Amino acid sequence: MDEQTIEDGNVLEALRSANRREDFSARRPSQYTNWIDEQLSWKETCYVGSWSTFANLKLEGPDAIDLLADLSINSFTDYPVGGGKHLVQCDEDANVVAEGVLVREGEETFVVHGVPCYWTAYNLERGDYDATCEFRDTFNYGIQGPNSIEVLDALADHSLRDVGFMRSGEIEIAGVDVTAVRFGMSGEIGFEIHGPGEHSETVWNAILEAGEEHGIRRLSSGTSSINQLESGIPSRVRDFVSAIFGEEMADYRAFLREHQTRDLITHAVEGSFEAEDVTDYYRTPVELGWDRYTEFHHDFVGREALEAEAADPERVLATLEWNEDDVVDVYASLFRDGPTFKYMEMPHQQKRAMIADRVLVDGEDVGVATMRGYSYYFREMLSLCTIDVEHSDPGTDVTVLWGEGPNPTSPTVEDHVQTEVRATVAETPYKQDRRRADLSAAE
């Protein structure tokens, strides 16, 4: 993507032409065993997956917690050492700029994982806070599923069964000191294992060896987002565009380009939802189901806008079940004469893109569907959806307009005919959340 195109103000032109075939395989293979086997792992046995390309920032100092509180929607009241949070940071209009994971290591020491590393470091550099930060080379492995605690029992130098949800413990694996944080995207019990990058291979191999008798699988890029789809956890790129494209964010974009270890600006938007402005692809915590983290007892960037929206929301997060006959017809179009519908890659798209499709009721737009994917466990094609409140009740029938349609000014092999797919609003999360299970009772 032409970076100058963004800085010239032609953001949508840049995003609509960006990385239409960038695969995730540079980070993880698209499959290890096969995506069906891998999808079943976090319901029946367990998996290990790597998110080690995510940034890691150590933040420390007397004002570190004040900086985090000023930038984040989260409450920091009674935040204990060893506690974890899903950290969400917004702009003044309450659009999400960054979200990731936070762990409190000590009274004045915090570890930030993911995109909030950059927004936090950027604001520290420009603010008046008595704190310092350091980007670090680390690994981040998720061990998730009903058998994950047995794997950790075999791995760790002491038990993690007394660690509560959103809490962490220090353990040793294969002679390496690591932090085990109890949360994840699978909707099952599990931990994230964080440690120094130089020992990543040692710990990865130890996990696989200990997990072999417990049916462990390696989680590939080919099916990893089905975790989030079933669990109702939206993600940057697939479900929203970070709110970083205004003129006021030009310095931050320059900071990202200087410090990022992977491209956090460039990704495609496509689908039948074609907005007039990039801000239509932004999302607020209310629209993503994250406003539950907020208590409006402290000032933070975006508080006023978020508080007003939370009091009277227009759109909320839902899951959609796509009609199986209509989905089958999309695939059938490949085997018959006549129009071809846009291919639904299985189990979800293998490209770095927000594929956003219009959601309709009686021909009127009521929402935007994202993160379409197939759950083998439920035998359903699902998507997340930001939808008008009056149409968000489970059981509501809607229609998804699938595909962009042909582009007469630039015909390519990707041209296809749009089609309507019937869908039904379902509960979110779609899969029962078992992350808070009592580990002392786990077999």
Side-chain angles (χ1 to χ4, degrees), residues 64-65 78 83 155 178 186-187 262 268-269 278 289 317 322 325 347 383 443:
I65 196 167
D78 300 323
L155 270 173
V178 302
S186 69
R262 60 190 182 101
V269 295
V278 69
L317 186 71
W322 293 32
D325 291 333
S383 71
E443 295 183 359

Side-chain angles (χ1 to χ4, degrees), residues 180-251:
V181 190
R182 188 181 170 187
F183 49 52
M185 300 177 294
S186 69
E188 295 287 344
I189 60 173
F191 287 77
E192 287 189 8
I193 308 298
H194 306 154
E198 62 185 304
H199 299 300
S200 60
E201 187 172 353
T202 297
V203 174
W204 177 265
N205 290 337
I207 293 170
L208 287 176
E209 182 177 351
E212 185 174 359
E213 66 178 286
H214 301 287
I216 200 167
R217 294 290 182 267
R218 293 170 292 175
L219 187 69
S220 68
S221 65
T223 199
S224 60
S225 287
I226 304 301
N227 273 266
Q228 293 160 269
L229 178 54
E230 294 175 343
S231 299
I233 303 175
S235 67
R236 187 188 67 87
V237 177
R238 292 197 184 278
D239 298 294
F240 66 94
V241 170
S242 296
I244 62 171
F245 291 106
E247 287 186 20
E248 74 283 359
M249 289 290 197
D251 287 346

Side-chain angles (χ1 to χ4, degrees), residues 93-305:
D93 295 321
N95 294 308
V96 176
V97 173
E99 58 89 18
V101 168
L102 175 69
V103 178
R104 187 170 194 170
E105 279 197 342
E107 287 298 325
E108 297 183 354
T109 306
F110 302 82
V111 177
V112 187
H113 298 268
V115 183
C117 291
Y118 301 103
W119 187 234
T120 301
Y122 171 80
N123 282 278
L124 174 60
E125 186 176 288
R126 284 154 179 76
D128 185 20
Y129 296 94
D130 184 5
T132 60
C133 69
E134 175 191 8
F135 286 96
R136 303 186 301 177
D137 175 26
T138 60
F139 62 79
N140 182 347
Y141 298 147
I143 306 177
Q144 300 281 311
N147 292 356
S148 59
I149 189 61
E150 282 82 6
V151 175
L152 287 163
D153 283 343
L155 270 173
D157 61 334
H158 62 269
S159 176
L160 292 169
R161 289 178 178 261
D162 60 346
V163 176
F165 183 65
M166 298 299 282
R167 295 293 183 265
S168 65
E170 303 299 318
I171 57 174
E172 182 181 297
I173 295 177
V176 180
D177 293 328
V178 302
T179 301
V181 190
R182 188 181 170 187
F183 49 52
M185 300 177 294
S186 69
E188 295 287 344
I189 60 173
F191 287 77
E192 287 189 8
I193 308 298
H194 306 154
E198 62 185 304
H199 299 300
S200 60
E201 187 172 353
T202 297
V203 174
W204 177 265
N205 290 337
I207 293 170
L208 287 176
E209 182 177 351
E212 185 174 359
E213 66 178 286
H214 301 287
I216 200 167
R217 294 290 182 267
R218 293 170 292 175
L219 187 69
S220 68
S221 65
T223 199
S224 60
S225 287
I226 304 301
N227 273 266
Q228 293 160 269
L229 178 54
E230 294 175 343
S231 299
I233 303 175
S235 67
R236 187 188 67 87
V237 177
R238 292 197 184 278
D239 298 294
F240 66 94
V241 170
S242 296
I244 62 171
F245 291 106
E247 287 186 20
E248 74 283 359
M249 289 290 197
D251 287 346
Y252 177 56
R253 292 194 298 274
F255 181 89
L256 278 177
R257 292 185 179 109
E258 179 182 354
H259 294 91
Q260 64 190 5
T261 56
R262 60 190 182 101
D263 191 348
L264 299 174
I265 301 173
T266 307
H267 67 82
V269 295
E270 57 183 84
S272 62
F273 178 72
E274 296 187 12
E276 295 299 319
D277 191 274
V278 69
T279 59
D280 293 323
Y281 295 96
Y282 294 173
R283 295 290 180 266
T284 68
V286 173
E287 294 172 319
L288 298 173
W290 296 338
D291 54 311
R292 64 184 183 275
Y293 304 143
T294 311
E295 295 179 17
F296 296 103
H297 53 55
H298 75 288
D299 288 329
F300 56 86
V301 177
R303 172 184 169 170
E304 184 176 348

Side-chain angles (χ1 to χ4, degrees), residues 75-90:
S75 171
F76 290 87
T77 302
D78 300 323
Y79 183 27
V81 172
K85 289 185 182 293
H86 178 203
L87 195 67
V88 180
Q89 301 171 328
C90 296

Side-chain angles (χ1 to χ4, degrees), residues 352-420:
R352 191 167 179 259
M354 179 183 180
I355 300 181
D357 290 298
R358 296 170 63 195
V359 177
L360 312 170
V361 170
D362 297 328
E364 298 294 324
D365 286 86
V366 300
V368 179
T370 53
M371 205 194 281
R372 175 213 57 85
Y374 176 72
S375 169
Y376 178 78
Y377 183 79
F378 292 106
R379 306 296 178 98
E380 292 281 359
M381 189 71 77
L382 304 171
S383 71
L384 297 183
C385 179
T386 298
I387 192 168
D388 291 351
V389 169
E390 61 262 38
H391 300 290
S392 63
D393 290 338
T396 302
D397 292 328
V398 298
T399 299
V400 179
L401 184 60
W402 172 248
E404 297 84 2
N407 182 351
T409 63
S410 179
T412 72
V413 73
E414 292 185 351
D415 288 347
H416 46 253
V417 177
Q418 289 179 327
T419 187
E420 293 185 347

